[in-house]
Structures are given as structure tokens and as C-alpha cells.
Amino acid sequence: MVGGGDRSEKIRTYNFPQDRLTDHRIGLDLSALPRVMNGDIDRLIDALVMADQAERLGTLTGGDDDR
């Protein structure tokens, strides 16, 4: 599904003046934005994988996922 591009549908924000990347889906803030832009994205990928696994586990166990 493709969104309409509204600001409320933000997935990720790259804030260069504050040297910060924010993933709004999982509430992750990372600093050192130049390193991220150069490919050092292991922390971002690890956090996304963990959030996905937690969501899947919650679905399997009938847990209530309040994010």
C-alpha cells in the first residue's frame, strides 16, 4: 500500500542540523548521521529486525502490542 505522502505518514526523518536519524515506526533515534549515510546502518537494521520479531511474536502469542 502506498501512502499519500502526508507528514503524518512519516517513516524516517534525516535531520542534518541535529545530526540525527529518526525511525518513527519504532521510535529509534540515531546520531552520527554522516556515518549512517555512508552505510553504517547495522544499528538501524538490528532495531528494525528486533521490532519486527517482537511484533510477530506478539501476534503468535496473542499479546497486545501497544506501540
Side-chain angles (χ1 to χ4, degrees):
M1 182 175 187
V2 176
D6 293 336
R7 290 181 66 88
S8 63
E9 296 176 349
K10 289 190 295 188
I11 293 174
R12 199 170 295 126
T13 301
Y14 299 87
N15 188 315
F16 289 92
Q18 295 180 2
D19 191 32
R20 184 182 71 228
L21 173 137
T22 303
D23 191 299
H24 300 280
R25 297 168 296 179
I26 61 174
L28 175 71
D29 285 324
L30 294 177
S31 58
L33 187 54
R35 286 186 12 214
V36 171
M37 298 302 289
N38 283 324
D40 185 10
I41 59 172
D42 291 336
R43 292 189 313 173
L44 175 61
I45 291 172
D46 290 344
L48 289 168
V49 167
M50 286 178 49
D52 180 61
Q53 289 175 345
E55 183 177 331
R56 289 174 189 239
L57 183 59
T59 300
L60 287 175
T61 61
D64 197 18
D65 187 15
D66 289 350
R67 255 195 283 155

